[in-house]
């Protein structure tokens, strides 16, 4: 009935599953619940920067794009719990999108079937390995650029 998508290196807080199931039980129009990644390790700039980015960028854009423009939601593919019926309605995940934009595409299609909640309390802890390997600003730029490219052009800008 409910499907969770988690990255292999995430650590779930004790409340993660319980809160999500409570929301699904109380709000039948909710089809997916996602939350941010928090980093317990890595450079302090990364740890603080992702909190600031989430609160002052991701969350306001989620409100704008989901509730006002009704275009999409915000999900992070490694921190997502979704109703199986909604996933089936959208034909599952688009396996043609290899990485950049796959979660945006999924959120956009799920939004057509119901509410996609991005909740700050639905966080997971994860490794900063991608940011450390590729660079924080370069990685953020790729995420943001591809996010908007999928929202407005229905495909990611980056090929990999």
């Amino acid at each position: 009935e409910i499907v969770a998508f988690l990255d292999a290196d995430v650590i779930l807080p004790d409340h993660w599953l319980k809160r999500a199931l409570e929301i699904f039980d109380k709000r039948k129009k909710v089809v997916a619940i996602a939350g941010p990644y928090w980093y317990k390790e890595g450079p302090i700039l990364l740890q603080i920067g992702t909190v600031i980015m989430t609160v002052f960028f991701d969350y306001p854009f989620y409100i704008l794009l989901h509730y006002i423009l009704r275009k999409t939601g915000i999900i992070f593919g490694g921190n997502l719990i979704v109703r199986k019926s909604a996933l089936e309605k959208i034909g599952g995940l688009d396996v043609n999108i290899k990485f950049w934009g796959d979660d945006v595409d999924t959120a956009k299609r799920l939004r057509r079937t119901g509410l996609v909640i991005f909740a700050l309390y639905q966080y997971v802890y994860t490794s900063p390995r991608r940011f450390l390997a590729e660079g924080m600003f370069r990685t953020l730029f790729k995420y943001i650029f591809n996010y908007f490219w999928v929202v407005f052009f229905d495909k990611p800008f980056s090929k990999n």
Side-chain angles (χ1 to χ4, degrees), residues 4-25:
F5 294 89
L6 300 165
D7 285 344
D9 61 353
V10 300
I11 299 169
L12 298 176
D14 292 337
H15 69 270
W16 190 86
L17 182 59
K18 182 181 179 204
R19 281 192 178 169
L21 293 177
E22 287 172 354
I23 290 171
F24 282 129
D25 285 342

Side-chain angles (χ1 to χ4, degrees), residues 131-142:
F131 286 103
L132 297 176
E134 297 181 21
M136 187 169 75
F137 294 107
R138 181 172 185 247
T139 304
L140 279 175
F141 177 78
K142 284 176 110 173

Side-chain angles (χ1 to χ4, degrees), residues 5-77:
F5 294 89
L6 300 165
D7 285 344
D9 61 353
V10 300
I11 299 169
L12 298 176
D14 292 337
H15 69 270
W16 190 86
L17 182 59
K18 182 181 179 204
R19 281 192 178 169
L21 293 177
E22 287 172 354
I23 290 171
F24 282 129
D25 285 342
K26 290 177 186 172
R27 300 179 64 190
K28 300 302 179 193
K29 291 185 179 184
V30 172
V31 296
I33 305 165
Y37 296 124
W38 297 145
Y39 302 99
K40 287 178 126 178
E41 57 188 50
I44 193 73
L45 178 62
L46 173 65
Q47 294 177 43
I48 294 170
T50 53
V51 171
I52 291 169
M53 178 84 171
T54 299
V55 172
F56 294 105
F57 182 81
D58 295 342
Y59 199 74
F61 272 98
Y62 157 68
I63 298 296
L64 173 69
L65 292 169
H66 187 63
Y67 290 104
I68 297 170
L69 299 179
R70 299 179 182 268
K71 282 190 101 26
T72 188
I74 289 183
I75 62 173
F76 297 135

Side-chain angles (χ1 to χ4, degrees), residues 56-146:
F56 294 105
F57 182 81
D58 295 342
Y59 199 74
F61 272 98
Y62 157 68
I63 298 296
L64 173 69
L65 292 169
H66 187 63
Y67 290 104
I68 297 170
L69 299 179
R70 299 179 182 268
K71 282 190 101 26
T72 188
I74 289 183
I75 62 173
F76 297 135
N79 181 11
L80 172 65
I81 188 163
V82 62
R83 290 187 195 273
K84 182 181 175 188
S85 59
L87 202 56
E88 289 171 340
K89 268 187 196 173
I90 66 167
L93 305 176
D94 184 345
V95 296
N96 294 313
I97 302 174
K98 300 300 179 202
F99 183 75
W100 301 103
D102 61 329
D103 46 3
V104 185
D105 173 74
T106 302
K108 191 172 181 178
R109 293 183 298 123
L110 283 169
R111 174 63 183 89
R112 296 177 191 138
T113 69
L115 296 175
V116 177
I117 293 178
F118 181 74
L120 296 177
Y121 60 77
Q122 198 65 16
Y123 60 88
V124 296
Y125 296 106
T126 192
S127 162
R129 73 188 185 288
R130 181 174 315 281
F131 286 103
L132 297 176
E134 297 181 21
M136 187 169 75
F137 294 107
R138 181 172 185 247
T139 304
L140 279 175
F141 177 78
K142 284 176 110 173
Y143 276 121
I144 293 167
F145 197 78
N146 281 285

